[in-house]
Structure formats: C-alpha cells, structure tokens
C-alpha cells in the first residue's frame, strides 16, 4: 500500500461505528470502479448510508482488519448510478420513501429519478402504490432535503450534525445559509440543540471580529446559561464579566460595556440586593427568565400566606386522633405535629430522609381532607414519584407537567395564574427536584385560598435545572418547616435506610466487602462487592445483571434492575455500561436487521430507553423510562411503551432518547427501583460527593448493590461540601415579606 494521496468516489454502504462527539467514523464503502467494498475511517460529520461521497485520503493497513482508506477530506453529492440512487432513496433520508418505494421509483425512472422528483413530481403518481398525497409529501420532503444538502456542504467543516442541520432547515427553510452567514449567533438563541460553541465556530470562520459586540453579547448570554447548568440563577456582575472575557479571550473593558448595554435593553437584569452571605456581592446579573421565575415564586408565597385559608373548619386535634385510629397506631410527637402544621398553615414544608414517616403524615392528611370533602391534588416531578405518592396515600397523583396541562400549540401550560387549579389543597412530593422555572409555573397555578405542602429530602441531589427551591424556602425562615429525623420504616435486617442515615452523619462504615457476586446474601438488602479496577467492576456488574440477581432473587434483569452510574464516560460510565448490557441482555441487539441508529446509539426491539428532554407533543418528559416494542428501519421510526402507553418516535425524536440499562444518578432522582446496582471507583473522584451516593442508595426499594472500591465510598461520604447554588430567591422572599 502506498502512503500517497488517493481519490475515491462511491456509495456509503454501512456505518460500522460513529462517534457523535468527534464525528470519527468507520464505514463500509463501495467505490464506483469496484464491486468490492472497502473500509473507510476518518472524521465524517453528518454522513448517512446511501450517500455518494468523493473522498481524498491515503491507504493504510490495520493489523487486524487489513486495508483501510483513511479519509482526509470528503464531499457529499447526489448519486450518479442506478445502484447509488436506489441505495440513497432507500436509506430513509427522504421521509416517505423506504426500500420498497425506492425500488419501485428507481425501476420506473432509472437515472432520471432525481430529475423527475425535482421537476416533474406529478409523474410519481404513475408508480404503483404512490397516490397524489404521497407524491406531494415526497416532493415536499425532497425540497427540504435539497436545502438540507446545501447547508450540510456549508457546515461540514464545522462538525454540525445532520440532526442539527435538520433543525436549522425546519426553522429557517431556504434562508438557513444566509442567516448563518449574516447572523450566526441568532441561531444559538433560536434553534434548540445548536449552542453558542457551534455558532461561534461558524462566526469566527466567516471572519467576525473576536471583540465584535454581537459576539460578546452572545458570549455573555452563553456564560449565564453555562452557569445556569451548574444550578445558578444569578451571578455577580464583576465575576460574570471576567468569566466571559476569559472564555471569549477578549477585552474585559468591552465586556463590561456590553453588560451595561444589555441591561439597558433588558436582555440582562441587574439587581442590588443586600447579600445574605459572602457568596453574593451586592450587584447581581440575571437572565430575564430567572428574574421572572424568582419574582413569581416569592409573590405566590406571599399571596398564599396573607389570604385566609379556604378549608372548611377542622378540629385539628380531633382530626389527628381520628387519623391515628384509622391508621391503627399512635403517631410519634413529630408526626402528629407535622399533620397539625399541614392543616393549620397555607404553606408548609415537610422534610426528612427515608424511613422517617413522611408517608404516614401524608396519608393522614389526605384521609382527613377526604372526609372533609376537600379537593386534594397530589403531584410529583416524575411519573414514578407520582405513582409512588398515589400508592402510599390512596389518592390520585400525577406529574407536574400533566397537572398543569402543557399545550404544545401555544407553547405554555394552560393551567396558570389566570386559569388556576381547581383545588383546595396541593401536595407536591420530591420537592428537592423543583427548579426555578418549574416551581414558578406550579406555584402560580395554586388558588389564593388553597394550601400548598412541599415534601422533600434536602440531603438528596438538588434539581437538575437551575435553582435551589426547597433549600431557599426553608432557609428564608418565613415558612413553617418540620424536619423528621427518627427512623420508623426499619426492618430488623434492612441496611438501605440505616446506611442512608449513616451517610448523612459522615459514617463511612459498610458491610464487609464481598469478593464476587455469588457471595450475595439474601438476608441483606444492601451489600458491597469489591473490584480491583474498572474492567473488573464492569465484569461483575454484567454478571450481577445478567445472572446472579435474576437467578438468585428472581428479578427481571431489564424491568427490575437499574444500574446508576456517577459518570457518563469511562469503562463503567453510562455510555459503555449501556452498550455492554444491551449486548448481554437483548438478543435482538445481535440482529442488525432490526437496528435503528440514533445520535446516542443503536436501538433494537426490547431495549430499555430513557427520555432525555421534555417532549410535550408526545407527552413524554425528561426521565421517563420505556421499552422498545418494535422498530421500522426503513422509515427510521420505533414504537416504545412508556408507563403503559405506546409512543411512536420518529428519526428526529431519537436525539432525545438514550439506552437506559444504565442511567446517571442525577437522572434517577424522584424514582425508585426494585434493585439498584452502583459502580463506585476512585476514578469517579470528580463526582464523588455525599449527596450523590445518598441519592443513589435511596433509589433502591428492595436491594442495593455497590460494586467498586471502599476507598471511593469513603471519599464520597467525607466530601459533604456540595457546591453552593447562587440564587436571589431568599432575598426576594424577605423583601416581599
């Protein structure tokens, strides 16, 4: 093989491997001048099976896989052969044309196929099975693909994915390229899934100045959004300017001037609150979204606390005694006090760890209110948490999104301040998961005379979204709070609950480590299996999930077992665990004919998947877990069952799902699983915090198995310093009061 540069032109047959992060690809390629397929490797952003590619590169030889063509540059163009046209149309790139219709169309029009679709689409009706409507949809899809192809050629050098290009074309149509050239940062603001970094790369490459006002403005907004990902709803002005200037490698003085300009235009909001602690300087900058959210939350709390309760007269002491008789046992002093507080105050917070009696209190409150004919609503951030709340209280519970009834057509909740909930009493469980935006929407929907009870565990991880709602409300000292600490739900052999409380006390004691999965003891619900390194940890997790737990304890390996990992990358990160568990738990994963490729992986019937973002159109929400029923590789769609409801996911939806044999601990918030398996290694040191391990362990309902190093566990428990979230909610609450 020679190392000199060569040219190849042909059809991309099959993608063997594709890395979404760096676009590195390994694929089968059929050169025009050869009937033999060859392997190509290299950076190939946005490629799809069936495309005709012009490649330049060099031939190399892999010690195991033989000759490979290492791609240096690539250019996508329309196929020029009947074979290429058939492959292109059958790849699913043009919605409405699968392999069957591709064959029919190409059989009829041959090399003239593309011209017919482009210029004489009415002739498609002469193809058997294609009527007027299908012909029109094929033409419309083809026109969209034409715009997509043009923009793909333009964006290839910037590493923009096909799904991102699709969003651009859907948003801007044929104007997409012009907008990218003239207003690149507008794209970051207006198109979901395209961030500042992509827009900035385009802007710099087309010659925009490093210190241009448009770039600094976009950088400031992006900086606040990045800080928002860390949980902050506000940031000190001087620190924001420094952070942004360093990120953009631009002038600090110009950055300060742009902050002033954006404040004047109300694109940024400046506040001068008296600081509650040293973390907050007197001058803070917020995005308008979070300024409005925190103001609404404080306004609602003030409104609820100043308007008289609308509940019917309740003799609270007699009601508590009645609830005790109904429950069949005497409440502890703190439980009885909590019931009284919930009934007596329009806003009340109940907090405590697992086993401390929160369920007993909520059931008592719900039972009392039902007898009094009070309209009670129960809600939680996730479907699993809502289901658990319903089971424990005997009431009807639903997710907050369903409670507030999001209207995709209007882009907002239909239950709001103007059209509030038809309720007298709202109980919200897992309130530690509430972020600022969700809390604002929920609180606004509470009628003025109604009661609001928030229930949560402040020792869990904070919300994924920005804000620290439960802690801010508690620390404002304006709302009655009952903290439960005594353990009531405790079987003689249970270690899950006692270990959770030991974690909060900083106790690093664990059960004696076992050396292998076969040593698991049915008598203990929490056990630790030691591992030598990440590879050993991976092997033991696979053995646990595929053999030991299903065989020894009769749990379904897919439905009942949930692996919760601290990190996404690495040997025992979410990504690799999912790939390995998929191969070992789903036989259909070894049958390529059923495969559908999405941005995050390959999916087959039987796979367990998780929804990563709210999809209001399909009534699917962040954290929902489902199971794939069937796939349609020709159309690029799949059908999945989420909580008993079937949903069709199309090609563009696949960017918002991932395999869920393993999920991050953060994604597990608000859920419980029969069995939880947790990899824990010193290599996870970046994420090892007390509240992370506490959250993971308290997700286990019947069994928790930690696999890893005892030193990593000790590191996590000793690290109790969770990063403080900067918000202005407490200041607003005190200012309002």
């Amino acid at each position: 093989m020679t190392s000199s540069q060569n040219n190849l032109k042909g059809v991309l047959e099959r993608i063997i491997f594709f890395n979404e992060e760096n676009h590195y690809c390994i694929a089968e390629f059929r050169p025009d001048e050869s009937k033999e397929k060859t392997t190509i490797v290299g950076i190939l952003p946005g490629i799809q099976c069936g495309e005709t590619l012009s490649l330049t590169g060099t031939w190399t030889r892999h010690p195991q896989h033989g000759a490979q063509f290492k791609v240096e540059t690539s250019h996508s163009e329309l196929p020029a052969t009947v074979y290429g046209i058939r492959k292109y149309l059958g790849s699913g790139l043009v919605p409405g044309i699968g392999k069957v219709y591709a064959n029919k169309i190409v059989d009829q029009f041959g090399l003239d196929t593309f011209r017919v679709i482009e210029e004489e689409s009415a002739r498609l009706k002469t193809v058997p099975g294609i009527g007027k409507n299908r012909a029109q949809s094929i033409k419309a899809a083809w026109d969209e693909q034409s715009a997509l192809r043009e923009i793909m050629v333009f964006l290839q050098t910037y590493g923009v994915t096909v799904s991102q290009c699709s969003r651009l074309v859907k948003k801007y149509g044929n104007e997409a390229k012009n907008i990218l050239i003239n207003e690149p940062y507008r794209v970051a603001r207006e198109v979901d899934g395209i961030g500042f970094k992509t827009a900035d790369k385009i802007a710099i490459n087309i010659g925009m100045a490093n210190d241009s006002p448009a770039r600094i403005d976009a950088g400031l907004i992006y900086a606040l959004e990045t800080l928002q990902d860390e949980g902050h709803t506000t940031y000190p002005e001087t620190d924001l300017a420094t952070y942004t200037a360093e990120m953009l490698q631009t002038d600090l003085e110009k950055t300060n001037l742009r902050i002033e300009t954006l404040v004047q235009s109300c694109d940024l909001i400046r506040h001068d609150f008296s600081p509650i602690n040293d973390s907050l300087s007197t001058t803070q900058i917020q995005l308008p979204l979070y300024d409005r959210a925190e103001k609404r939350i404080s306004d609602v709390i003030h409104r609820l606390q100043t308007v008289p309760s609308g509940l019917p007269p309740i003799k609270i002491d007699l009601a508590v005694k009645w609830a005790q008789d109904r429950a069949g046992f005497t409440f502890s002093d703190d439980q009885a006090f909590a019931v009284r507080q919930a009934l007596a105050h329009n806003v009340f917070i109940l907090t405590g760890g697992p086993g401390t009696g929160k369920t007993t209190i909520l059931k008592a409150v719900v039972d009392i209110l039902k007898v009094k004919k009070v309209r009670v609503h129960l809600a939680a951030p996730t479907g699993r948490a809502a289901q658990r709340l319903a089971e424990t209280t005997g009431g009807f519970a639903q997710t907050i999104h369903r409670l507030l009834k999001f209207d995709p057509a209007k882009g907002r909740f239909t239950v709001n301040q103007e059209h509030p909930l038809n309720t007298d009493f709202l109980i919200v469980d897992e309130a530690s998961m509430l972020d600022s935006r969700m809390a604002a929407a929920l609180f606004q929907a509470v009628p003025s005379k109604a009661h609001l009870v928030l229930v949560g565990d402040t020792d869990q991880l904070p919300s994924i979204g920005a804000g620290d709602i439960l802690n801010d409300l508690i620390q404002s000292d304006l709302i009655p709070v009952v903290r439960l600490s005594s353990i009531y739900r405790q079987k003689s052999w249970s270690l899950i609950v006692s270990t959770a409380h030991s974690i909060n006390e900083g106790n690093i004691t664990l059960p004696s480590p076992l050396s292998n999965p076969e040593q698991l003891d049915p008598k203990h619900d929490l056990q630790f299996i030691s591992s030598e390194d990440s590879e050993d940890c991976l092997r033991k997790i696979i053995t646990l999930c595929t053999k030991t737990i299903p065989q020894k304890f009769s749990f379904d390996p897919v439905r009942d077992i949930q692996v919760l990992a601290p990190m996404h990358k690495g040997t025992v990160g979410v990504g690799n665990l999912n790939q390995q568990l998929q191969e070992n738990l789903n036989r259909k994963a070894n049958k390529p004919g059923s495969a559908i490729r999405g941005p995050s992986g390959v999916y087959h019937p039987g796979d367990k998947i998780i929804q990563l973002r709210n999809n209001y159109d399909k009534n699917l929400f962040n954290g929902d877990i489902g199971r794939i029923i069937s796939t349609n590789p020709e159309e690029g769609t799949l059908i999945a069952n989420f909580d008993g409801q079937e949903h069709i996911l199309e090609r563009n939806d696949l960017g918002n799902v991932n395999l869920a044999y393993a999920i991050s601990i953060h994604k597990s918030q608000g859920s419980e699983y029969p069995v939880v398996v947790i990899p824990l290694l010193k290599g996870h040191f970046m994420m090892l915090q007390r509240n992370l391990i506490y959250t993971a362990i308290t997700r286990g309902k019947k069994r928790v198995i930690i696999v890893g190093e005892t030193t990593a566990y000790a590191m996590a428990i000793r690290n109790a310093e969770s990063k403080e979230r900067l918000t202005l909610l407490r200041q607003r609450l005190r200012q309002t009061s």
Side-chain angles (χ1 to χ4, degrees):
M1 293 291 170
T2 176
S3 60
S4 60
Q5 194 173 72
N6 291 268
N7 297 315
L8 282 184
K9 184 177 180 180
V11 177
L12 186 73
E13 291 280 336
R14 183 168 74 96
I15 296 173
I16 300 170
F17 171 82
F18 188 79
N19 185 321
E20 278 291 330
E21 292 186 5
N22 60 16
H23 308 283
Y24 179 78
C25 180
I26 303 173
E28 285 184 355
F29 185 78
R30 185 194 291 266
D32 287 345
E33 68 277 6
S34 172
K35 294 182 179 180
E36 297 295 323
K37 297 177 186 177
T38 190
T39 301
I40 61 172
V41 298
I43 306 301
L44 295 163
I47 60 167
Q48 294 286 332
C49 291
E51 284 189 274
T52 293
L53 300 175
S54 293
L55 309 174
T56 61
T58 55
W59 286 101
T60 62
R61 178 167 290 278
H62 190 277
Q64 284 183 295
H65 305 296
Q68 295 181 339
F69 189 79
K70 186 177 180 181
V71 178
E72 294 176 7
T73 64
S74 66
H75 176 72
S76 177
E77 54 188 71
L78 288 176
T81 66
V82 169
Y83 173 82
I85 295 170
R86 197 183 302 273
K87 189 78 176 176
Y88 181 86
L89 287 181
S91 68
L93 272 174
V94 183
I97 305 180
K99 287 184 179 179
V100 173
Y101 281 112
N103 287 332
K104 288 182 179 181
I105 292 170
V106 178
D107 286 345
Q108 183 138 339
F109 300 115
L111 290 172
D112 211 23
T113 295
F114 290 151
R115 189 193 64 78
V116 169
I117 297 175
E118 180 79 37
E119 301 173 8
E120 303 176 34
S121 60
R123 289 178 61 191
L124 290 170
K125 291 184 290 184
T126 64
V127 177
I130 296 181
K132 179 181 178 182
N133 290 338
R134 184 178 287 274
Q136 288 176 344
S137 65
I138 290 172
K139 169 61 173 168
W142 177 263
D143 289 343
E144 184 174 324
Q145 282 295 319
S146 297
L148 185 59
R149 281 193 299 276
E150 182 183 355
I151 203 168
M152 270 302 303
V153 171
F154 173 67
L155 291 176
Q156 268 193 338
T157 55
Y158 308 118
V160 179
T161 66
V162 169
S163 61
Q164 288 175 322
C165 285
S166 296
R167 292 189 185 103
L168 285 166
V169 172
K170 188 175 181 179
K171 177 74 175 178
Y172 302 121
N174 292 330
E175 288 298 307
K177 185 176 178 180
N178 288 334
I179 289 171
L180 280 169
I181 292 172
N182 297 308
E183 302 176 86
Y185 296 108
R186 175 181 164 188
V187 171
R189 293 193 308 271
E190 297 180 351
V191 182
D192 184 39
I194 297 189
F196 171 82
K197 289 184 178 179
T198 300
D200 195 45
K201 191 184 295 185
I202 296 169
I204 294 298
N205 276 278
I206 62 176
M208 184 168 284
N210 192 53
D211 59 355
S212 69
R215 182 169 188 261
I216 297 176
D217 289 355
L220 283 162
I221 303 297
Y222 173 68
L224 280 172
E225 290 172 346
T226 302
L227 294 162
Q228 159 196 315
D229 290 340
E230 297 177 14
H232 306 305
T233 66
T234 185
Y235 214 66
E237 181 171 351
T238 53
D239 294 343
L240 174 64
T242 302
Y243 180 94
T244 306
E246 290 177 354
M247 178 185 73
L248 298 179
Q249 295 184 321
T250 193
D251 184 69
L252 178 59
E253 185 177 346
K254 290 183 179 179
T255 304
N256 278 312
L257 289 173
R258 294 314 302 171
I259 290 178
E260 187 62 43
T261 301
L262 291 174
V263 168
Q264 293 299 320
S265 65
C266 296
D267 291 301
L268 296 179
I269 309 297
R270 178 186 281 136
H271 290 289
D272 291 304
F273 284 112
S274 298
I276 285 179
N277 55 42
D278 293 337
S279 300
L280 293 176
S281 67
T282 54
T283 305
Q284 296 285 315
I285 298 294
Q286 279 190 307
L287 291 170
L289 189 68
Y290 288 100
D291 170 66
R292 291 193 298 270
E294 291 184 343
K295 185 176 187 304
R296 287 169 180 168
I297 292 168
S298 63
D299 287 347
V300 171
I301 296 298
H302 178 70
R303 167 169 61 84
L304 292 176
Q305 289 186 319
T306 53
V307 175
S309 169
L311 294 185
I314 299 175
K315 295 179 180 179
I316 293 178
D317 288 339
L318 289 176
V320 172
K321 185 178 183 306
W322 175 86
Q324 288 181 144
D325 293 341
R326 183 178 175 87
F329 59 89
T330 302
F331 297 161
S332 67
D333 290 344
D334 56 356
Q335 288 176 325
F337 179 65
V339 175
R340 291 189 185 95
Q341 293 289 89
L343 296 173
H345 296 280
N346 289 28
V347 184
F348 168 66
I349 295 174
L350 176 65
T351 184
T356 54
K358 296 193 298 292
T359 296
T360 298
I361 294 163
L362 293 182
K363 186 167 185 354
V365 170
V366 171
D367 287 345
I368 291 168
L369 295 174
K370 279 183 177 178
V371 170
K372 286 291 183 177
K373 308 297 183 186
V374 172
R375 297 169 298 177
V376 182
H377 280 68
L378 306 171
T382 68
R384 286 173 180 256
Q387 182 180 355
R388 190 172 69 249
L389 181 61
E391 291 169 352
T392 55
T393 62
F396 172 72
Q398 55 192 317
T399 63
I400 294 170
H401 289 93
R402 291 185 174 97
L403 179 75
L404 299 182
K405 298 177 183 175
F406 188 85
D407 184 345
K410 296 179 180 178
R412 60 182 175 85
F413 292 112
T414 58
V415 178
N416 48 43
Q417 191 166 6
E418 290 74 32
H419 303 93
L421 289 165
N422 188 22
T423 190
D424 302 311
F425 206 103
L426 174 62
I427 297 174
V428 182
D429 199 8
E430 297 288 352
S432 63
M433 294 180 65
L434 287 176
D435 59 39
S436 295
R437 296 173 63 185
M438 181 55 65
L442 177 63
F443 291 6
Q444 276 194 300
V446 181
S448 293
K449 292 187 177 182
H451 283 228
L452 173 64
V453 172
L454 301 175
V455 185
D457 184 349
T458 54
D459 293 316
Q460 286 190 33
L461 290 167
S463 59
I464 295 174
D468 199 7
I469 300 300
L470 189 61
N471 272 317
D472 280 343
L473 291 175
I474 291 172
Q475 293 175 24
S476 72
D477 296 325
L478 298 173
I479 299 170
V481 178
V482 171
R483 297 177 184 271
L484 304 173
S485 55
S486 300
I487 301 174
Y488 300 102
R489 178 168 61 87
Q490 173 78 3
K491 294 181 181 178
S492 59
W493 49 270
S494 175
L495 284 172
I496 295 175
V497 172
S498 60
T499 301
H501 286 270
S502 294
I503 288 172
N504 286 334
E505 294 166 2
N507 187 339
I508 64 172
T509 304
L510 270 172
S512 299
L514 309 175
S515 59
N516 65 73
E518 294 304 317
Q519 294 175 317
L520 286 179
D521 188 344
K523 295 179 181 178
H524 299 301
D525 63 349
L526 186 146
Q527 294 176 84
F528 192 101
I529 299 174
S530 61
S531 62
E532 298 174 2
D533 51 34
S534 59
E535 293 292 343
D536 184 44
C537 182
L538 176 63
R539 283 192 296 270
K540 287 175 177 174
I541 288 174
I542 292 172
T543 300
L544 282 167
C545 294
T546 60
K547 297 177 182 177
T548 312
I549 297 173
Q551 293 172 6
K552 206 163 191 173
F553 307 117
S554 300
F555 286 107
D556 183 277
V558 178
R559 184 186 64 242
D560 297 332
I561 302 173
Q562 187 60 61
V563 179
L564 302 180
M567 297 183 73
H568 285 273
K569 297 181 180 179
T571 304
V572 286
V574 170
N576 190 51
L577 280 166
N578 269 321
Q579 185 176 337
Q580 298 297 322
L581 289 168
Q582 180 191 48
E583 292 176 5
N584 283 276
L585 289 173
N586 190 358
R587 293 179 181 177
K588 293 180 181 177
N590 299 314
K591 296 180 180 179
S594 67
I596 287 187
R597 178 176 293 277
S600 301
V602 179
Y603 306 105
H604 304 265
D607 276 336
K608 185 177 180 181
I609 58 174
I610 183 170
Q611 180 74 16
L612 301 176
R613 292 184 182 181
N614 293 334
N615 185 331
Y616 297 106
D617 291 327
K618 296 189 182 294
N619 208 26
L620 287 172
F621 303 103
N622 187 357
D624 286 352
I625 289 181
R627 193 89 175 260
I628 297 176
I629 299 170
S630 62
T631 58
N632 186 334
E634 287 190 17
E635 299 294 334
T637 63
L638 61 83
I639 299 175
N641 185 310
F642 289 84
D643 292 327
Q645 293 186 334
E646 292 186 4
H647 297 264
I648 298 175
L649 301 184
E650 298 166 2
R651 192 182 300 275
N652 287 340
D653 298 320
L654 298 184
N656 294 327
V657 299
N658 200 358
L659 291 172
Y661 299 99
I663 63 175
S664 70
I665 296 172
H666 282 84
K667 285 289 184 187
S668 74
Q669 287 176 265
S671 296
E672 274 189 346
Y673 313 94
V675 182
V676 163
V677 178
I678 308 165
L680 200 60
L681 299 169
K682 286 184 291 185
H684 297 145
F685 70 93
M686 292 284 291
M687 297 296 294
L688 293 182
Q689 292 182 336
R690 181 181 293 180
N691 60 359
L692 187 85
I693 305 306
Y694 175 86
T695 300
I697 285 176
T698 54
R699 300 309 91 202
K701 195 172 182 180
K702 297 181 179 178
R703 294 192 177 276
V704 172
I705 301 164
I706 304 172
V707 185
E709 299 165 316
T710 55
T711 50
Y713 181 83
M715 286 169 61
I717 305 312
R718 291 190 180 110
N719 183 11
E721 297 182 6
S722 299
K723 189 172 182 181
E724 181 185 11
R725 293 187 167 200
L726 304 182
T727 78
L728 292 175
L729 181 56
R730 275 178 279 163
Q731 285 90 330
R732 290 180 183 277
L733 287 164
R734 292 176 181 177
Q735 187 183 62
T736 303
S737 64

